[in-house]
Amino acid sequence: MTIPILAPLLLALGLAPEGPADLRVGHWVEVRGEFDAAGDFVAQKVEVQSPQEYEILVGTVASAGATASGFLLLGQPISVSEKTVWRNVSPADVAGARVKVEGRWRGPLKLSAREVARRESGRDRLGGRIDEIETASGAVVLRIMQYRVRVALDVELESERPLAELALAPERVRAKSTGTIDEDDLFGRGFEIVDGVRLSGQLEGLLTREEGYDLDDAADQDRTDTELTGRIRATWNPSDAFLGVAELRHRQLWRDEEDLGSSTVGRTRLGETYGYWPSLLGSSWGVRVGRQDFDDPREWLYDQNLDAVRFLGRVRDLPIELSLSTTLSDGSPRDEEAVNAIAYLWNGDEDRHLAAWAIHRDFDLDEEEWRTHVGVRALGEWLAGHDSWLEAAVMRGRLAGQDQQGWGYDAGTTWSPDFLAPFSVTVGYALGSGGDPDSSVDHTFRQSGLQDNTAKFAGVTSFRYYGELVDPELANLGIVTAGIGARLARRTSLDLVVHQYRQDRILPFLVDAHLDQNPDGVHADLGWEADLVFGWRQLADWDLEIVGGWFRPGDAFPDGDDAYLLKFQLRRRF
């Protein structure tokens, strides 16, 4: 115990031991203790950790109510599936057993178990993010998942480093209604420069070699791009009621083209920079104002920084996101002239993601142009051993006096059965309707224009799932996808993915594809592409991705030669 007369001096020097009163919303803690008669969890030991992937519960399973789909632990319903790993205990004998459950907390009615392991006798335990903190007489009261955790002020904290140096875990649902964070936008732990202000960054190098994109070996139009991108971000979290983010990024490009020679260009611009109030006027609605990342789980709808007013809340306990946005600077002329209204309603379950959405974009250009998309999606573990997806949308719009109507869908699954481990198999089909651009109504489907069409299958790295080389928009196009992947190690993977392309309506042009050659307008078969994608995440804060792509032209390019892509990307977070 600190000698009372020395306490002020030690505190001023930063040497006084940290206690429960120093905990903050966002800290990740593991608490041992027991429940009292009022239902509060009384802490006897608290360990503060870096944010973890899964919440944990340790206790004795309720003797009654255990079924093949789940059980009750410490008052929390636990959901199990084919992907749940069982260690020294089985579903048949889990009732009454003392176990440790690791998984994702979905709310008071569901914790999706990733692992269930038998434990010896001991104290009950909770592990997760601190979502709320209240002060009480001689104690602080934390909300961790659904639990009220009472921590007396004299309970000693254990921590791997000073609390100010520990990263804060992001809010689960309200901070991002779609429940996803793009790996491109992850930053390191950083360091605190002043109280409440943390600085972090990211450095990325990208080498891209493109050969034969014009499908003509006789033409000298190959190119090599070398890019270096640096990002630095400051976050200010003075209280639970506000979060401020400011980001600056610089991209330097060196380009070597066979026909045009060498050039270089650099660009510095504003990244995500916004204020976030998680509880607007004391309500359950949060609001973000400023430049912010719009990202969805498969980036089929959007993956772009937009300047927006964005409301995050719930309707009948379902997360919903409503926003009005544009691009004020550093965007394409088209995006800078657009006003976007977006609504996204989903069920809040990352394992089985159901959503309905709408995107309306109005372009203030010389010609009248607007476009509205309405769609639904189902993503996740709908079948045992499968990670599946279904996207469906209809589009209406108008361009230069011509009505536009179209539809599109994308369906597929990645199958990872135990007997194939470490391999997985993926199949999928996507179709965007085609139409006649010279008719009174053009039935060509177009995506939102904000999409990136990037996701993971069963590997550790995401890639362009319509082809890294062709990288088309799903417009007047049918795409068959087949792939096989392997987890070479826990955080290392290799994917071989093949795509076959056909036009829905035969036309002498492609919509927003990366090939520099147009089809002949006579044949529907555009050709096929094979991609080999290697991802490596073995070291914390380091990402490595290597991609090789090969495109073989089809009948629509009767004299076309093959095209090739090589991409090497290394990212470091700090």
Side-chain angles (χ1 to χ4, degrees):
M1 180 177 294
T2 304
I3 300 174
I5 196 170
L6 295 180
L9 177 60
L10 294 175
L11 185 63
L13 294 174
L15 300 177
E18 295 174 302
D22 299 304
L23 292 169
R24 296 175 57 189
V25 168
H27 274 139
W28 193 278
V29 296
E30 190 169 300
V31 183
R32 291 171 171 81
E34 60 185 8
F35 289 95
D36 64 13
D40 289 350
F41 191 84
V42 179
Q44 299 167 351
K45 181 179 179 181
V46 178
E47 180 181 352
V48 191
Q49 306 170 339
S50 298
Q52 305 295 306
E53 185 174 5
Y54 299 124
E55 284 84 8
I56 68 166
L57 295 178
V58 177
T60 301
V61 176
S63 298
T67 68
S69 61
F71 52 87
L72 195 67
L73 177 63
L74 303 184
Q76 170 69 50
I78 307 297
S79 174
V80 300
S81 69
E82 293 293 328
K83 290 189 175 181
T84 302
V85 177
W86 297 82
R87 301 192 184 280
N88 300 320
V89 67
S90 69
D93 60 4
V94 71
R98 181 172 175 78
V99 298
K100 175 182 179 181
V101 172
E102 296 183 55
R104 289 199 172 98
W105 186 68
R106 310 302 189 189
L109 299 180
K110 183 178 181 182
L111 189 153
S112 299
R114 297 302 189 190
E115 181 175 294
V116 181
R118 186 180 293 275
R119 282 291 182 270
E120 301 299 327
S121 61
R123 289 175 291 186
D124 293 342
R125 194 179 351 156
L126 314 174
R129 179 186 188 270
I130 299 176
D131 293 323
E132 293 179 4
I133 298 179
E134 303 173 10
T135 57
S137 177
V140 294
V141 179
L142 317 176
R143 183 169 67 82
I144 303 170
M145 295 178 278
Q146 63 168 314
Y147 303 101
R148 277 174 49 91
V149 179
R150 180 175 293 273
V151 185
L153 295 180
D154 60 356
V155 170
E156 185 177 349
L157 299 186
E158 293 184 3
S159 178
E160 58 190 20
R161 61 176 66 93
L163 299 187
E165 296 181 10
L166 288 171
L168 300 179
E171 193 172 11
R172 289 180 186 83
V173 175
R174 286 189 296 177
K176 199 172 186 71
S177 71
T178 55
T180 184
I181 299 177
D182 188 349
E183 62 188 22
D184 294 346
D185 294 314
L186 293 175
F187 286 76
R189 184 178 69 249
F191 57 93
E192 195 163 40
I193 52 177
V194 296
D195 186 31
V197 179
R198 181 168 290 272
L199 209 60
S200 57
Q202 183 191 109
L203 190 64
E204 179 184 291
L206 176 62
L207 175 67
T208 306
R209 173 65 178 175
E210 299 177 355
E211 295 186 4
Y213 273 45
D214 54 0
L215 308 184
D216 183 0
D217 286 345
D220 295 328
Q221 294 187 1
D222 300 343
R223 79 182 190 195
T224 302
D225 286 348
T226 304
E227 299 177 48
L228 185 63
T229 302
R231 301 170 62 181
I232 189 165
R233 173 176 291 191
T235 58
W236 180 42
N237 193 195
S239 71
D240 302 342
F242 178 76
L243 171 67
V245 173
E247 180 191 329
L248 197 65
R249 59 173 68 185
H250 179 80
R251 174 175 175 263
Q252 191 73 32
L253 170 66
W254 295 268
R255 174 165 291 174
D256 185 9
E257 298 178 278
E258 285 187 329
D259 54 343
L260 299 177
S262 299
S263 62
T264 184
V265 62
R267 183 183 182 191
T268 301
R269 60 189 178 95
L270 199 66
E272 277 199 284
T273 300
Y274 62 83
Y276 173 48
W277 294 263
S279 182
L280 184 62
L281 300 177
S283 72
S284 61
W285 284 78
V287 62
R288 285 185 187 177
V289 180
R291 177 161 295 185
Q292 49 200 286
D293 182 34
F294 281 70
D295 198 4
D296 75 87
R298 296 186 69 246
E299 298 178 0
W300 202 71
L301 312 183
Y302 39 68
D303 176 29
Q304 193 159 318
N305 281 357
L306 298 173
D307 300 297
V309 178
R310 192 175 188 182
F311 296 94
L312 305 167
R314 289 179 174 268
V315 173
R316 295 185 180 273
D317 207 35
L318 297 178
I320 188 170
E321 172 186 311
L322 303 171
S323 65
L324 190 65
S325 64
T326 187
T327 303
L328 295 177
S329 63
D330 304 319
S332 69
R334 179 179 175 80
D335 286 338
E336 290 186 5
E337 294 293 339
V339 176
N340 317 298
I342 300 175
Y344 194 98
L345 176 70
W346 69 302
N347 63 345
D349 187 340
E350 292 180 16
D351 285 340
R352 294 185 174 183
H353 184 119
L354 288 173
W357 55 271
I359 301 174
H360 176 77
R361 305 192 73 196
D362 197 340
F363 300 88
D364 184 18
L365 300 168
D366 294 337
E367 302 173 327
E368 176 192 9
E369 182 179 1
W370 61 268
R371 193 174 292 158
T372 300
H373 291 76
V374 177
V376 295
R377 71 187 340 170
L379 315 174
E381 303 169 11
W382 302 97
L383 298 171
H386 288 258
D387 189 4
S388 306
W389 68 89
L390 173 63
E391 310 271 12
V394 294
M395 181 209 73
R396 297 292 183 270
R398 191 166 179 82
L399 172 61
Q402 182 188 44
D403 288 335
Q404 297 181 312
Q405 298 180 10
W407 51 266
Y409 66 86
D410 184 348
T413 189
T414 296
W415 184 40
S416 307
D418 291 340
F419 70 84
L420 274 184
F423 296 98
S424 62
V425 177
T426 298
V427 293
Y429 182 70
L431 178 62
S433 63
D436 184 353
D438 297 324
S439 65
S440 60
V441 179
D442 183 2
H443 289 279
T444 302
F445 178 74
R446 299 295 304 271
Q447 291 185 259
S448 68
L450 303 172
Q451 80 284 342
D452 199 33
N453 295 335
T454 301
K456 300 175 184 178
F457 287 168
V460 302
T461 190
S462 59
F463 53 88
R464 300 188 187 280
Y465 49 73
Y466 290 153
E468 284 277 352
L469 193 156
V470 178
D471 189 23
E473 180 177 344
L474 188 61
N476 187 33
L477 196 62
I479 306 173
V480 177
T481 296
I484 184 168
R487 278 293 186 106
L488 306 179
R490 182 174 179 270
R491 295 184 59 80
T492 303
S493 63
L494 185 67
D495 286 278
L496 174 62
V497 187
V498 179
H499 309 279
Q500 175 72 43
Y501 306 99
R502 290 183 66 87
Q503 285 188 314
D504 183 50
R505 185 181 181 94
I506 299 175
L507 293 171
F509 59 85
L510 297 174
V511 178
D512 195 21
H514 281 193
L515 294 176
D516 297 330
Q517 181 66 269
N518 285 322
D520 61 7
V522 177
H523 302 91
D525 177 22
L526 299 173
W528 57 265
E529 175 178 339
D531 294 329
L532 191 63
V533 182
F534 173 77
W536 180 82
R537 303 286 188 273
Q538 291 295 116
L539 295 181
D541 295 329
W542 285 91
D543 296 346
L544 172 65
E545 180 182 301
I546 303 174
V547 176
W550 171 26
F551 176 71
R552 169 64 62 88
D555 294 339
F557 303 100
D559 298 317
D561 297 311
D562 294 359
Y564 303 94
L565 166 72
L566 177 63
K567 186 167 70 174
F568 181 94
Q569 177 179 283
L570 182 64
R571 183 184 300 118
R572 170 74 165 97
R573 294 180 289 272
F574 56 89

